[in-house]
Amino acid sequence: NGEATDSGGETYVVATDNNFVPFEFVDQETDELTGFDVELMRAIAEEAGFNVEFEQIEFSGLISGVSTGRYDIGIAGITINDERKEKVDFSDPYYDSGLTVAVLEGNEEIQSVEDLAGKTVGTRTGSTSQEYLAEELPDANVEAYPEITTAYQSLLTNKIDAVLYDLPNVQYYSKTEGGGKILAVGDRLTGESYGMVFEKGSELTEQVNTALQTLKDNGTYDEIHAKWFGE
Ligand code: ARG
């Protein structure tokens, strides 16, 4: 979906991976790309005086696509971490998140991450949760999917025992498509913050940070947040 905003200035290409409710996804009714990240990015562009054009790409290729200058900006619920900071510059954090275990409603056997040994756990390829599973849960059988909705479908049809993924995505999926059948259990496993990414040394980083701060100060950030998270 290459819909552009028109603020009169430069047009920048923004890479995202639209399989991540409620941050970026295609609305079934309107067929439009929407979500918290999409609206925040558009508001930042308007504030900073540039235009954005979204391009759909595979999450695993997003950091490298931005680091080589193929895309000007990446926004996709991207967790800020040191490994990624070696390749790209991050904006200031714009959303506090973390990982959770999710199981089918009524599952009494798996109530926390400690119960995952020997279980089959679904996650997304190239995500921080896949890394977490590899490092912290060597005894779990990991199934990495290119789209997290496929992992949720596998959970709903009992092909896997649990999913490990970003808490806000689990919660929103559960409330919507998941029909309350998928539940987040146990404590939040990690604290992770999301940031936008830029090619190293890009002047856009500061422009975006300045605009983000303005939107936080003038209430626009809170409005967009309330729309998607209801707080
Ligand atoms: N926060 C996780 C990470 O950075 C998952 C993000 C997935 N985002 C997406 N748009 N598919 O690895």
Side-chain angles (χ1 to χ4, degrees):
N1 175 309
E3 201 195 318
T5 50
D6 193 4
S7 310
E10 290 280 333
T11 297
Y12 296 115
V13 179
V14 182
T16 193
D17 175 326
N18 67 21
N19 198 253
F20 197 56
V21 290
F23 296 91
E24 41 269 326
F25 64 103
V26 176
D27 184 307
Q28 299 298 326
E29 275 162 35
T30 61
D31 214 26
E32 298 276 343
L33 177 69
T34 188
F36 177 77
D37 283 353
V38 175
E39 290 194 357
L40 182 64
M41 190 68 246
R42 289 201 168 120
I44 286 171
E46 200 182 330
E47 177 59 37
F50 57 77
N51 306 307
V52 286
E53 204 177 295
F54 285 91
E55 212 168 294
Q56 165 59 24
I57 74 158
E58 165 69 21
F59 187 77
S60 343
L62 210 150
I63 302 275
S64 62
V66 170
S67 74
T68 55
R70 176 143 185 218
Y71 309 102
D72 301 300
I73 306 174
I75 186 165
I78 305 166
T79 301
I80 302 172
N81 68 25
D82 289 342
E83 196 188 323
R84 292 170 177 172
K85 274 187 196 163
E86 284 174 18
K87 299 182 191 130
V88 286
D89 286 345
F90 275 94
S91 70
D92 292 332
Y94 68 86
Y95 187 89
D96 290 329
S97 185
L99 303 181
T100 188
V101 176
V103 292
L104 283 185
E105 184 193 20
N107 183 329
E108 272 155 30
E109 206 186 338
I110 302 173
Q111 284 300 309
S112 76
V113 75
E114 282 83 39
D115 303 326
L116 292 178
K119 303 289 183 206
T120 304
V121 186
T123 188
R124 192 199 194 292
T125 322
S127 66
T128 46
S129 18
Q130 188 182 16
E131 234 164 82
Y132 182 94
L133 284 164
E135 280 161 24
E136 310 287 332
L137 292 168
D139 297 335
N141 310 313
V142 178
E143 293 249 355
Y145 297 82
E147 292 198 337
I148 198 65
T149 42
T150 320
Y152 293 139
Q153 289 303 330
S154 297
L155 182 59
L156 285 166
T157 52
N158 282 300
K159 288 194 192 100
I160 57 176
D161 302 306
V163 165
L164 194 129
Y165 207 46
D166 297 51
L167 179 63
N169 177 261
V170 168
Q171 287 174 329
Y172 195 88
Y173 183 85
S174 173
K175 276 194 298 186
T176 53
E177 266 184 78
K181 292 192 203 84
I182 290 178
L183 295 178
V185 288
D187 296 329
R188 196 170 79 165
L189 302 175
T190 56
E192 301 189 356
S193 296
Y194 297 160
M196 285 151 258
V197 294
F198 310 87
E199 186 177 358
K200 276 205 168 292
S202 168
E203 285 168 15
L204 274 171
T205 313
E206 208 189 308
Q207 282 187 56
V208 164
N209 282 340
T210 306
L212 175 63
Q213 192 53 53
T214 305
L215 300 180
K216 282 186 173 171
D217 294 340
N218 71 15
T220 307
Y221 176 96
D222 289 340
E223 258 171 55
I224 301 173
H225 190 279
K227 174 172 172 190
W228 293 102
F229 302 101
E231 289 144 39

